[in-house]
Amino acid sequence: MPDQPEPGAPERLRRRGGPPKTATLLRKEWLNDSMVRLFFGGADVDQLSELEYTDHYLKILFPGPVTRTYTIRSLDRKTGELAIDFVVHGDEGLAGPWAATVDPGAVIEFRGPGGGYAPQEQYDAHLLAGDEAAIPAIAAAIERLPVQASAVAVLEVADADHRLAVPSDRAEIVWVHRDGRPYGERLAEVVRERGLPEGRVQVFVHGNAGMVKDLRRYFFLECGLDRRDASISGYWRTGQNEDAWQAGKHEFVAQMEAEEAAVGSGAH
Ligand SMILES: Cc1cc2nc3c(=O)[nH]c(=O)nc-3n(C[C@H](O)[C@H](O)[C@H](O)COP(=O)(O)OP(=O)(O)OC[C@H]3O[C@@H](n4cnc5c(N)ncnc54)[C@H](O)[C@@H]3O)c2cc1C
């Protein structure tokens, strides 16, 4: 596929912060027609330090310089395989079309991992919610849930045919189907309908930025959730590629926080 750029870092990025790490695509597995799991390996994968968090992500470098952010779904030290689940969301964009068509043997360059959330023991309950882009991080979190805590994961997919295999022994899984509605709308509705679980709750909500904005207002203003108990941010925004979203994210978050502060203080 000559039109599909292979990820690669330009010289400027190589010089900034040292050379990027590399990984080789070992194999790929379609989870359904809109999600493909790519397994990477190589010396830099073997040398990644212990993954402390469940939302660890890599910045994959494409020519440009352009980066795309992806969660480490799993890292199997025995086989040396690092798995990433890519949403295939049509022909638009770089990473989605690349992941759909790339063949084993391809080499990627990346930076990271970053990350900052893992389910913690001091909570009575865990609420996890997200669309397909966040399902890898939510699935990884479910695998690390403390034994004594209750947990619910509200997961949005296109329709009933697009449900994914996520671990269900530790958490109640609630599937939400878009069925043609905009991303995140139904997910936010279902989270609101169900309400916050009883007790001290740790919240992990990621995915479409519009849904995140709505649910921040719900958790922080309507439920009075302490912001320190939540990991909640937009992974992507409808109609914007990652470059535009990341460039405008600071302003989006500042405006969202100002609106929350205005509502919180009773102003309009
Ligand atoms: C910390 C973090 C972790 C992430 N982990 C994952 C992950 O594990 N798997 C994953 O698939 N994504 C993940 N994402 C989201 C991913 O980085 C974005 O979806 C990214 O925009 C995809 O790049 P692209 O080149 O395919 O599309 P872009 O070139 O960025 O966008 C092209 C068009 O596609 C739309 N678009 C982008 N993403 C989606 C989507 N998911 N569904 C529908 N339309 C979309 C955009 O709005 C735009 O109109 C993560 C993001 C963050 C910040």
Side-chain angles (χ1 to χ4, degrees):
M1 344 137 276
D3 291 332
Q4 296 298 330
E6 291 291 329
E11 207 47 42
R12 195 149 54 87
L13 260 181
R14 283 178 203 284
R15 289 197 301 268
R16 202 194 313 145
K21 302 177 182 91
T22 63
T24 302
L25 178 60
L26 303 175
R27 60 190 177 98
K28 61 194 282 192
E29 180 185 322
W30 285 90
L31 306 182
N32 63 34
D33 62 8
S34 58
M35 187 76 105
V36 63
R37 178 167 293 167
L38 268 51
F39 294 88
F40 297 94
D44 287 345
V45 169
D46 293 340
Q47 281 163 24
L48 289 177
S49 54
E50 211 46 55
L51 298 181
E52 182 183 355
Y53 301 114
T54 54
D55 68 342
H56 276 297
Y57 58 85
L58 304 179
K59 295 276 180 188
I60 300 177
L61 310 180
F62 285 81
V66 181
T67 65
R68 292 291 185 262
T69 310
Y70 282 87
T71 303
I72 299 177
R73 171 62 185 87
S74 62
L75 174 55
D76 185 332
R77 298 284 181 186
K78 289 200 194 89
T79 62
E81 287 186 332
L82 181 152
I84 296 179
D85 294 350
F86 291 78
V87 178
V88 177
H89 50 84
D91 298 332
E92 260 190 284
L94 278 177
W98 174 82
T101 52
V102 67
D103 292 316
V107 175
I108 61 161
E109 295 186 322
F110 67 93
R111 294 190 184 278
Y117 159 90
Q120 288 168 21
E121 298 219 332
Q122 68 266 33
Y123 292 91
D124 304 309
H126 296 264
L127 171 59
L128 309 117
D131 57 37
E132 293 92 333
I135 288 179
I138 292 173
I142 292 173
E143 288 169 356
R144 293 250 305 262
L145 282 167
V147 276
Q148 80 288 353
S150 69
V152 58
V154 187
L155 306 177
E156 185 184 279
V157 291
D159 52 39
D161 293 336
H162 287 83
R163 293 182 179 194
L164 291 152
V166 293
S168 57
D169 51 331
R170 308 291 307 285
E172 179 193 0
I173 309 295
V174 178
W175 289 103
V176 174
H177 303 147
R178 273 188 300 283
D179 286 330
R181 289 182 57 184
Y183 281 91
E185 264 188 23
R186 186 72 192 120
L187 177 68
E189 281 173 7
V190 171
V191 169
R192 282 169 177 274
E193 282 161 18
R194 293 183 59 96
L196 268 186
E198 292 289 312
R200 191 168 174 214
V201 186
Q202 189 181 20
V203 167
F204 182 83
V205 176
H206 294 271
N208 184 271
M211 172 275 292
V212 163
K213 183 176 179 178
D214 185 11
L215 285 181
R216 277 178 58 110
R217 178 181 283 239
Y218 172 64
F219 290 127
F220 299 148
L221 299 180
E222 298 174 32
C223 298
L225 184 77
D226 190 316
R227 286 167 197 262
R228 287 169 297 192
D229 296 333
S231 167
I232 177 164
S233 74
Y235 272 1
W236 66 281
R237 191 175 183 189
T238 304
Q240 291 193 338
N241 65 19
E242 185 170 335
D243 318 295
W245 166 232
Q246 293 294 343
K249 191 171 182 178
H250 184 75
E251 201 181 323
F252 180 86
V253 171
Q255 191 184 343
M256 191 165 61
E257 287 176 348
E259 286 171 18
E260 288 168 9
V263 174
S265 68
H268 293 286

